[in-house]
Amino acid sequence: MRSGDLSAIDVPGIEAEALRDLSRGRDDAMQDLKRRRRRLPSFLLRHDVRSEGRATWNPAPPHWLSAVVCPTPPQQIVFQESVRAVSERQERLQRVERERHQTVKGWRLSPVVEAIQVLRGMELTGAVIVLAKLGDLTRFDRPRQLMSDLGLTPSESSSGARRHHGGITRAGNSRARRALGDKAWASRYPAKVSRHLQLRLETLPTEVQPIGWRAPVRLCRRYRQLTAHGKPVTQVVVAIAREMAAFAWASARLVPLAS
């Protein structure tokens, strides 16, 4: 410690731990809902009951499901219980999301949560996951330190004069790294600021607003450059996620924390 060889770590507070648990609870509710949604169409296909429209879960399928009649009463009971199970999982997910939204409002990092949503593809869920796992991003002096903490930097295997760079180190929190990777896929589309993002930018400090345009332009151009050079799509997404972390770090430094 005297020689400076040890790296400081961020110990999460009670609020951060609460948001972590809410994020885990939302993931559990979402996975449970997906499982129930898959079981219901499988049950209907076994009895050759098919939807005439698209197999999505918009408001149309529930109206179609209400008209389904199974061949026998026991099968109808199983069908109705499956529909009720899907509805219960949807309500559970909505309750967890409402509680998370209310908890974020009182969090001291709530301004940063809003600020990093200027990145294209980054919404409330991803922002809360990243900040609940990493804490205050301004504790990193440089964005490369944040990238290293996320495990998004290339690994190195050196021996003497030989140096070899491999895949990413995968150090740090996997859920935060996965959240950035999921949002990085949005950069494959042409850069633009949607109406929804524009309304969000208007509520942020003027220092943060330019990042809402610079980030998608830079990331979209980077995505196309790497794919044009023949890089695998998975490697390109990792590179975009690494740069998204740098933009998130820059956004966090431009907003004051809540007291």
Side-chain angles (χ1 to χ4, degrees):
M1 184 170 62
R2 289 176 179 176
S3 62
D5 294 333
L6 299 180
S7 301
I9 62 173
D10 180 65
V11 180
I14 297 177
E15 292 180 337
E17 286 288 357
L19 281 169
R20 288 185 182 185
D21 289 335
L22 279 174
S23 297
R24 296 188 189 101
R26 182 194 177 277
D27 288 346
D28 294 340
M30 178 63 73
Q31 294 300 323
D32 198 10
L33 175 60
K34 289 180 178 179
R35 285 192 293 268
R36 292 292 179 176
R37 283 178 171 177
R38 288 193 296 265
R39 290 175 183 174
L40 181 55
S42 299
F43 173 80
L44 294 175
L45 286 175
R46 286 201 304 270
H47 301 283
D48 199 24
V49 179
R50 303 173 184 272
S51 172
E52 297 180 356
R54 295 184 301 174
T56 59
W57 287 91
N58 52 24
H63 295 292
W64 173 78
L65 291 173
S66 62
V68 173
V69 178
C70 294
T72 63
Q75 293 171 341
Q76 185 69 23
I77 291 177
V78 174
F79 167 70
Q80 293 294 341
E81 289 295 334
S82 299
V83 173
R84 181 179 300 177
V86 172
S87 300
E88 291 175 351
R89 268 61 179 186
Q90 288 176 332
E91 294 174 358
R92 173 192 173 191
L93 178 62
Q94 293 172 358
R95 289 194 300 269
V96 174
E97 289 183 340
R98 284 196 300 268
E99 182 61 30
R100 183 193 58 186
H101 185 71
Q102 294 298 325
T103 305
V104 168
K105 289 182 178 179
W107 193 23
R108 71 181 187 91
L109 295 180
S110 58
V112 184
V113 173
E114 297 293 333
I116 67 175
Q117 290 184 61
V118 301
L119 301 176
R120 189 179 183 186
M122 180 68 71
E123 28 68 51
L124 179 64
T125 300
V128 170
I129 291 175
V130 171
L131 292 178
K133 297 299 182 180
L134 299 178
D136 187 4
L137 301 183
T138 59
R139 64 189 175 91
F140 299 100
D141 296 330
R142 297 184 303 276
R144 185 169 292 275
Q145 295 177 350
L146 173 58
M147 300 173 189
S148 178
D149 189 79
L150 283 166
L152 291 172
T153 53
S155 59
E156 179 179 344
S157 177
S158 302
S159 177
R162 184 184 65 85
R163 298 182 61 186
H164 174 72
H165 292 281
I168 58 175
T169 61
R170 298 182 183 273
N173 190 272
S174 60
R175 295 188 69 238
R177 183 171 60 252
R178 185 170 63 250
L180 283 172
D182 291 341
K183 310 312 173 186
W185 285 98
S187 297
R188 68 184 185 274
Y189 300 113
K192 70 174 184 178
V193 177
S194 62
R195 177 60 179 169
H196 178 71
L197 181 57
Q198 182 61 40
L199 294 175
R200 190 188 304 161
L201 288 173
E202 294 175 357
T203 63
L204 297 174
T206 55
E207 297 84 358
V208 182
Q209 294 180 11
I211 298 179
W213 176 242
R214 292 202 305 266
V217 171
R218 160 71 182 179
L219 297 178
C220 180
R221 182 173 65 249
R222 183 65 172 162
Y223 186 95
R224 293 183 176 183
Q225 288 175 348
L226 292 174
T227 52
H229 282 81
K231 294 291 185 181
V233 178
T234 52
Q235 293 184 10
V236 176
V237 170
V238 170
I240 298 301
R242 184 164 53 242
E243 296 203 15
M244 284 187 67
F247 279 111
W249 176 84
S251 302
R253 294 178 67 89
L254 295 175
V255 294
L257 298 181
S259 56

